[in-house]
PDB file of all heavy atoms in Angstrom:
ATOM      1  N   GLN A  70      92.042  90.204  93.836  1.00 97.00           N
ATOM      2  CA  GLN A  70      93.355  90.945  93.860  1.00 97.00           C
ATOM      3  C   GLN A  70      93.918  91.003  95.228  1.00 97.00           C
ATOM      4  O   GLN A  70      95.066  90.772  95.549  1.00 97.00           O
ATOM      5  CB  GLN A  70      93.280  92.335  93.333  1.00 97.00           C
ATOM      6  CG  GLN A  70      93.173  92.429  91.741  1.00 97.00           C
ATOM      7  CD  GLN A  70      94.486  92.124  91.034  1.00 97.00           C
ATOM      8  OE1 GLN A  70      94.905  90.925  90.974  1.00 97.00           O
ATOM      9  NE2 GLN A  70      95.165  93.078  90.560  1.00 97.00           N
ATOM     10  N   ALA A  71      93.028  91.389  96.193  1.00 96.00           N
ATOM     11  CA  ALA A  71      93.449  91.473  97.529  1.00 96.00           C
ATOM     12  C   ALA A  71      93.927  90.090  98.110  1.00 96.00           C
ATOM     13  O   ALA A  71      94.920  89.988  98.736  1.00 96.00           O
ATOM     14  CB  ALA A  71      92.306  92.050  98.427  1.00 96.00           C
ATOM     15  N   PHE A  72      93.206  89.045  97.694  1.00 97.00           N
ATOM     16  CA  PHE A  72      93.485  87.753  98.267  1.00 97.00           C
ATOM     17  C   PHE A  72      94.885  87.383  97.646  1.00 97.00           C
ATOM     18  O   PHE A  72      95.779  86.871  98.501  1.00 97.00           O
ATOM     19  CB  PHE A  72      92.480  86.672  97.823  1.00 97.00           C
ATOM     20  CG  PHE A  72      92.735  85.364  98.333  1.00 97.00           C
ATOM     21  CD1 PHE A  72      92.334  84.994  99.534  1.00 97.00           C
ATOM     22  CD2 PHE A  72      93.524  84.363  97.489  1.00 97.00           C
ATOM     23  CE1 PHE A  72      92.686  83.637 100.165  1.00 97.00           C
ATOM     24  CE2 PHE A  72      93.825  83.166  98.167  1.00 97.00           C
ATOM     25  CZ  PHE A  72      93.447  82.786  99.315  1.00 97.00           C
ATOM     26  N   VAL A  73      95.115  87.492  96.445  1.00 97.00           N
ATOM     27  CA  VAL A  73      96.420  87.039  95.839  1.00 97.00           C
ATOM     28  C   VAL A  73      97.530  87.966  96.371  1.00 97.00           C
ATOM     29  O   VAL A  73      98.531  87.375  96.781  1.00 97.00           O
ATOM     30  CB  VAL A  73      96.256  87.209  94.301  1.00 97.00           C
ATOM     31  CG1 VAL A  73      97.759  87.145  93.593  1.00 97.00           C
ATOM     32  CG2 VAL A  73      95.413  86.055  93.733  1.00 97.00           C
ATOM     33  N   GLY A  74      97.251  89.297  96.476  1.00 97.00           N
ATOM     34  CA  GLY A  74      98.362  90.093  97.091  1.00 97.00           C
ATOM     35  C   GLY A  74      98.604  89.890  98.532  1.00 97.00           C
ATOM     36  O   GLY A  74      99.944  89.863  98.882  1.00 97.00           O
ATOM     37  N   LEU A  75      97.658  89.605  99.319  1.00 97.00           N
ATOM     38  CA  LEU A  75      97.915  89.393 100.685  1.00 97.00           C
ATOM     39  C   LEU A  75      98.485  87.991 100.960  1.00 97.00           C
ATOM     40  O   LEU A  75      99.442  87.899 101.848  1.00 97.00           O
ATOM     41  CB  LEU A  75      96.527  89.468 101.542  1.00 97.00           C
ATOM     42  CG  LEU A  75      95.917  90.803 101.693  1.00 97.00           C
ATOM     43  CD1 LEU A  75      94.618  90.738 102.209  1.00 97.00           C
ATOM     44  CD2 LEU A  75      96.847  91.801 102.560  1.00 97.00           C
ATOM     45  N   ALA A  76      98.094  87.029 100.136  1.00 97.00           N
ATOM     46  CA  ALA A  76      98.733  85.683 100.332  1.00 97.00           C
ATOM     47  C   ALA A  76     100.164  85.766  99.997  1.00 97.00           C
ATOM     48  O   ALA A  76     101.019  85.064 100.623  1.00 97.00           O
ATOM     49  CB  ALA A  76      98.067  84.654  99.385  1.00 97.00           C
ATOM     50  N   TYR A  77     100.556  86.534  98.885  1.00 97.00           N
ATOM     51  CA  TYR A  77     101.972  86.547  98.621  1.00 97.00           C
ATOM     52  C   TYR A  77     102.668  87.430  99.538  1.00 97.00           C
ATOM     53  O   TYR A  77     103.759  87.122 100.190  1.00 97.00           O
ATOM     54  CB  TYR A  77     102.261  87.118  97.181  1.00 97.00           C
ATOM     55  CG  TYR A  77     103.823  87.230  96.989  1.00 97.00           C
ATOM     56  CD1 TYR A  77     104.471  86.068  96.847  1.00 97.00           C
ATOM     57  CD2 TYR A  77     104.420  88.424  97.093  1.00 97.00           C
ATOM     58  CE1 TYR A  77     105.839  86.017  96.674  1.00 97.00           C
ATOM     59  CE2 TYR A  77     105.760  88.405  96.921  1.00 97.00           C
ATOM     60  CZ  TYR A  77     106.509  87.364  96.763  1.00 97.00           C
ATOM     61  OH  TYR A  77     107.908  87.406  96.632  1.00 97.00           O
ATOM     62  N   LYS A  78     102.253  88.689  99.853  1.00 96.00           N
ATOM     63  CA  LYS A  78     102.920  89.675 100.798  1.00 96.00           C
ATOM     64  C   LYS A  78     103.165  89.115 102.163  1.00 96.00           C
ATOM     65  O   LYS A  78     104.271  89.245 102.635  1.00 96.00           O
ATOM     66  CB  LYS A  78     102.155  90.939 100.821  1.00 96.00           C
ATOM     67  CG  LYS A  78     102.816  92.074 101.567  1.00 96.00           C
ATOM     68  CD  LYS A  78     102.237  93.375 101.321  1.00 96.00           C
ATOM     69  CE  LYS A  78     103.143  94.368 102.052  1.00 96.00           C
ATOM     70  NZ  LYS A  78     102.675  95.792 101.816  1.00 96.00           N
ATOM     71  N   TYR A  79     102.128  88.460 102.705  1.00 96.00           N
ATOM     72  CA  TYR A  79     102.296  88.037 104.138  1.00 96.00           C
ATOM     73  C   TYR A  79     102.594  86.471 104.362  1.00 96.00           C
ATOM     74  O   TYR A  79     103.043  86.111 105.441  1.00 96.00           O
ATOM     75  CB  TYR A  79     101.012  88.337 104.969  1.00 96.00           C
ATOM     76  CG  TYR A  79     100.919  89.952 105.025  1.00 96.00           C
ATOM     77  CD1 TYR A  79     100.140  90.529 104.134  1.00 96.00           C
ATOM     78  CD2 TYR A  79     101.539  90.534 106.003  1.00 96.00           C
ATOM     79  CE1 TYR A  79     100.057  92.013 104.203  1.00 96.00           C
ATOM     80  CE2 TYR A  79     101.423  91.922 106.093  1.00 96.00           C
ATOM     81  CZ  TYR A  79     100.673  92.661 105.240  1.00 96.00           C
ATOM     82  OH  TYR A  79     100.546  94.011 105.209  1.00 96.00           O
ATOM     83  N   GLN A  80     102.483  85.781 103.148  1.00 96.00           N
ATOM     84  CA  GLN A  80     102.786  84.257 103.377  1.00 96.00           C
ATOM     85  C   GLN A  80     103.818  83.832 102.367  1.00 96.00           C
ATOM     86  O   GLN A  80     104.088  82.669 102.382  1.00 96.00           O
ATOM     87  CB  GLN A  80     101.432  83.550 103.226  1.00 96.00           C
ATOM     88  CG  GLN A  80     100.494  83.777 104.260  1.00 96.00           C
ATOM     89  CD  GLN A  80      99.213  83.069 104.004  1.00 96.00           C
ATOM     90  OE1 GLN A  80      98.927  82.675 102.902  1.00 96.00           O
ATOM     91  NE2 GLN A  80      98.328  82.842 104.987  1.00 96.00           N
ATOM     92  N   LEU A  81     104.148  84.652 101.412  1.00 96.00           N
ATOM     93  CA  LEU A  81     105.053  84.318 100.335  1.00 96.00           C
ATOM     94  C   LEU A  81     104.456  83.201  99.501  1.00 96.00           C
ATOM     95  O   LEU A  81     105.137  82.288  99.083  1.00 96.00           O
ATOM     96  CB  LEU A  81     106.459  84.060 100.649  1.00 96.00           C
ATOM     97  CG  LEU A  81     107.117  85.250 101.335  1.00 96.00           C
ATOM     98  CD1 LEU A  81     108.501  84.863 101.855  1.00 96.00           C
ATOM     99  CD2 LEU A  81     107.315  86.466 100.496  1.00 96.00           C
ATOM    100  N   ARG A  82     103.099  83.183  99.365  1.00 96.00           N
ATOM    101  CA  ARG A  82     102.475  81.942  98.658  1.00 96.00           C
ATOM    102  C   ARG A  82     101.927  82.427  97.277  1.00 96.00           C
ATOM    103  O   ARG A  82     101.229  83.376  97.136  1.00 96.00           O
ATOM    104  CB  ARG A  82     101.295  81.486  99.527  1.00 96.00           C
ATOM    105  CG  ARG A  82     101.761  80.806 100.662  1.00 96.00           C
ATOM    106  CD  ARG A  82     100.620  79.925 101.349  1.00 96.00           C
ATOM    107  NE  ARG A  82     100.960  79.362 102.572  1.00 96.00           N
ATOM    108  CZ  ARG A  82     101.516  78.172 102.709  1.00 96.00           C
ATOM    109  NH1 ARG A  82     101.674  77.400 101.572  1.00 96.00           N
ATOM    110  NH2 ARG A  82     101.873  77.801 103.844  1.00 96.00           N
ATOM    111  N   SER A  83     102.294  81.508  96.337  1.00 94.00           N
ATOM    112  CA  SER A  83     101.768  81.617  94.873  1.00 94.00           C
ATOM    113  C   SER A  83     100.427  80.831  94.984  1.00 94.00           C
ATOM    114  O   SER A  83     100.270  79.951  95.913  1.00 94.00           O
ATOM    115  CB  SER A  83     102.669  81.192  93.962  1.00 94.00           C
ATOM    116  OG  SER A  83     102.961  79.836  94.177  1.00 94.00           O
ATOM    117  N   PRO A  84      99.496  80.940  93.954  1.00 94.00           N
ATOM    118  CA  PRO A  84      98.368  80.174  93.954  1.00 94.00           C
ATOM    119  C   PRO A  84      98.664  78.671  94.081  1.00 94.00           C
ATOM    120  O   PRO A  84      97.940  78.023  94.775  1.00 94.00           O
ATOM    121  CB  PRO A  84      97.743  80.527  92.542  1.00 94.00           C
ATOM    122  CG  PRO A  84      98.138  81.986  92.430  1.00 94.00           C
ATOM    123  CD  PRO A  84      99.501  82.006  93.022  1.00 94.00           C
ATOM    124  N   ARG A  85      99.563  78.105  93.403  1.00 94.00           N
ATOM    125  CA  ARG A  85      99.936  76.609  93.595  1.00 94.00           C
ATOM    126  C   ARG A  85     100.294  76.188  94.934  1.00 94.00           C
ATOM    127  O   ARG A  85     100.230  75.031  95.204  1.00 94.00           O
ATOM    128  CB  ARG A  85     101.099  76.264  92.524  1.00 94.00           C
ATOM    129  CG  ARG A  85     100.563  76.324  91.151  1.00 94.00           C
ATOM    130  CD  ARG A  85     101.425  75.395  90.349  1.00 94.00           C
ATOM    131  NE  ARG A  85     101.121  75.475  88.885  1.00 94.00           N
ATOM    132  CZ  ARG A  85     100.067  74.786  88.316  1.00 94.00           C
ATOM    133  NH1 ARG A  85      99.367  74.071  89.039  1.00 94.00           N
ATOM    134  NH2 ARG A  85      99.870  75.031  87.041  1.00 94.00           N
TER     135      ARG A  85
END
Side-chain angles (χ1 to χ4, degrees):
Q70 283 290 78
F72 183 85
V73 168
L75 291 168
Y77 178 73
K78 185 167 186 174
Y79 293 94
Q80 301 175 333
L81 298 178
R82 288 191 185 271
S83 62
R85 288 205 183 277

